[in-house]
Amino acid sequence: MSHSAKIQTAELDWELIDAIEVPISKQFGDVYFSKDNGLLETRHVFLNGNDLTERLSELEDFQYFCVGETGFGTGLNILTLWQLWQQVRPDNHSHLHVISVEKFPLSKADLIRALNVWPELKPLAEQLIQQYPLPIAGCHRLSFPEQRFSIDLWLGDAQDIFPSIPKTQAVNAWFLDGFAPSCNPDMWQENVLNHIVRLSDYGTTFASFSVAGVLKRGLKQHGVHISRPRGFGHKREMLKAIWSDPSQTLTDPADAAEIKVQSERAPIASSSRPRQIAIIGAGIAGLSCAWAFAQRGHQVTIYEQDEPLSGASGNPLALLNPKLCPIEQAHEHLMTLSWQHALNFYSRFKAFRSIQVQQMALKNADELLGLAEQYPEAVLSVHDQQNATPETDYPSLTLHQAGAVSPQQLRDEILQHPNIQCIKAKISRLKSTDKQTELWQEQQLIATADDVIVCCAKQSAELFENYPPLKPIRGQVSWVENREQALALDQAYSYGGYCMQLDAAQLILGASFYPNRDDVDVLAEDHVHNYELIHSVFPEYAQQLPTVEHWQGRASVRAQSLDYFPLVGKIQNDRQIFTFAGLGSKGFLFAPLCSEVLAALVLGELCPVPQNLLDKLNPQRFQKKVKAKKPYYSG
């Protein structure tokens, strides 16, 4: 199966051994965890094999430690690691991050059943299950900020995924898990091991229950030193290895029972103090960015020349309504990846309302409706129009997992974070010094910061030389009293425009779309435009709405890049100044995932998107020299 094809969930048999239900993979004919005691084996092989008790307990303030895993399976390894992290983590802002790959994820029901075996892991298992993603290819970031813990679960074939992960930071320790090489040879191929080493650094450690020749040879050819201490239970040996700096000496020769290295292990991303982050602009880009850094313990100051949400992000309601791609493109399709991440992100806030969207098939109906068969069962269905309210002649696709966000309520919740402050100021100039960046308001220096993120939509260009062009697009939303024929609060309709209840009494609808216009007056002609849009799909319903003289509205200008991808990252490699702009009409959809990408680039963490997509977000993509396709990293 290719990484880009539809994800197949694992097919399991269950065997009762000593009153414990052990899952067995039908695909590979192998057990998911040791019949002796899977939990004790994980501790012995993966935690002790990577010296994690010692290494995690010694993390300094704001250090970031990354563990990589080659097979997620039941999640047992990660939950056991998480349990250890709870027991030994220092009382500071250090962070533990895991990347894990899985070709055949368990269904949620099977995952719950498999993890019921371990009562002591139940509190952690419940948190994992709550965020466990749909079986759709790509990277799914699960965040547990109160625990200072996060997981990137990459669904797809390891042969395709490992080459696609950007090395924005080195992995510190590896759990080389997965079914035995005799059952699952693909996982242990040279291509996979080459990229595991690419994502590592001198001092990275490796542990595995397997001592198969293919694994030992693959690691040794990269200069990784291997030892074979005693395995778990009846297993005579296991693999413990370290990629040591050739200039350092080992206390024991390779293949000895244990390995210790005289040098430090893989460099750990580190900042011994909170970074001072300045964010310019308080739209959804600036606010979501502020949240990403504040949740990691950094100090964030937002500078806004007007009021927060005064630009395109300030409409009364934001609809999360992605146009999903064919399933084979999902692993690197920004809108599909952003949609899944956004629902997970916003559901933590009171500003979020879970809804479903009826996407009307106005053209290419077969193409749109055909998506229902491609995606997992709970995501999409073809809507039966016989009892549709409001009445329409068009078929539609129901997106069951969507949402609406109240921007003003979200703003208030984000600005309450103790690490975020918002200051009214118009930053007119940024000046880099050796270690920091100065923020100037006209002739006055008002602050310095370690990192600056410019989130000013089209005005971002004022603070940079050679900023990529952004196109202005005028848009107006309308809202009107419709108490008597109010729609269900958990429904929205998408038809080129959109409509849904703003609250129990008012319908919100829109939005007009006028490229290359930047006027923001509320215009009657735009109300007429929004009326004609809804009338073309729901004529009887629209005719009963009050006439447009009674409508209210808000107009604003969105900024769109020339290729429709946001700008996320550095304009110049040698400065700690970043930009985040060009979100067009999908700001609330794109912002949460793009903010995590930006935080990874600024702080030196692993990125939750493949290299191909990271390159598409790189603001330097419009410069001629970028055509050489150099990887886009944080440095």
Side-chain angles (χ1 to χ4, degrees), residues 170-398:
V171 174
N172 301 98
W174 283 97
F175 296 175
L176 299 180
D177 200 1
F179 298 111
S182 56
C183 302
N184 181 19
D186 284 359
M187 176 64 86
W188 308 94
Q189 293 299 314
E190 185 179 4
N191 175 45
V192 174
L193 287 174
N194 286 349
H195 283 282
I196 284 171
V197 174
R198 174 183 68 84
L199 291 166
S200 307
D201 205 340
Y202 292 146
T204 295
T205 59
F206 308 80
S208 180
F209 61 86
S210 172
V211 287
V214 63
L215 175 58
K216 289 188 294 184
R217 287 190 299 273
L219 291 173
K220 277 181 176 177
Q221 73 177 25
H222 290 286
V224 175
H225 290 272
I226 292 169
S227 66
R228 293 171 296 179
R230 180 164 179 77
F232 175 75
H234 65 278
K235 293 181 181 173
R236 194 162 53 87
E237 51 189 12
M238 57 171 268
L239 180 138
K240 179 174 180 178
I242 187 160
W243 188 17
S244 56
D245 185 335
S247 67
Q248 302 290 330
T249 45
L250 294 169
T251 56
D252 293 293
D255 286 324
E258 278 288 352
I259 284 182
K260 297 286 180 190
V261 171
Q262 308 285 13
S263 60
E264 289 187 7
R265 294 188 179 87
I268 297 172
S270 177
S271 167
S272 58
R273 60 179 179 81
R275 294 175 83 87
Q276 302 294 323
I277 309 285
I279 293 177
I280 305 171
I284 188 56
L287 290 170
S288 60
C289 244
W291 186 260
F293 287 103
Q295 287 286 82
R296 288 163 167 81
H298 298 287
Q299 296 297 315
V300 182
T301 306
I302 305 175
Y303 298 89
E304 168 57 56
Q305 64 178 10
D306 297 311
E307 296 299 324
L309 298 181
S310 53
S313 304
N315 287 341
L317 200 65
L319 176 62
L320 304 175
N321 176 35
K323 184 180 179 186
L324 298 185
C325 63
I327 197 71
E328 64 270 11
Q329 299 165 16
H331 63 290
E332 57 181 21
H333 186 255
L334 179 63
M335 200 175 297
T336 303
L337 295 172
S338 293
W339 153 69
Q340 296 170 86
H341 188 87
L343 292 180
N344 213 355
F345 174 80
Y346 290 120
S347 62
R348 300 159 190 260
F349 295 93
K350 293 175 184 151
F352 177 74
R353 176 163 114 215
S354 182
I355 59 165
Q356 51 184 24
V357 182
Q358 305 285 353
Q359 299 182 338
M360 316 307 296
L362 306 185
K363 53 186 181 183
N364 304 326
D366 291 346
E367 195 177 302
L368 179 68
L369 302 179
L371 291 174
E373 296 172 9
Q374 299 179 29
Y375 278 79
E377 213 172 296
V379 178
L380 298 166
S381 64
V382 177
H383 187 63
D384 175 14
Q385 292 300 338
Q386 288 182 330
N387 304 307
T389 307
E391 290 182 18
T392 181
D393 293 331
Y394 292 99
S396 71
L397 185 72
T398 303

Side-chain angles (χ1 to χ4, degrees), residues 24-66:
I24 299 168
S25 167
K26 285 187 182 179
Q27 277 104 336
F28 297 107
D30 200 0
V31 293
Y32 272 89
F33 44 72
S34 166
K35 294 179 182 180
D36 294 340
N37 186 318
L39 182 58
L40 293 181
E41 181 178 52
T42 290
R43 288 179 184 144
H44 179 82
V45 174
F46 296 115
L47 305 190
N48 297 342
N50 283 293
D51 304 320
L52 289 179
T53 299
E54 170 196 351
R55 294 166 77 185
L56 295 177
S57 65
E58 292 172 354
L59 288 178
E60 295 175 8
D61 205 9
F62 289 99
Q63 283 191 325
Y64 166 93
F65 191 97
C66 183

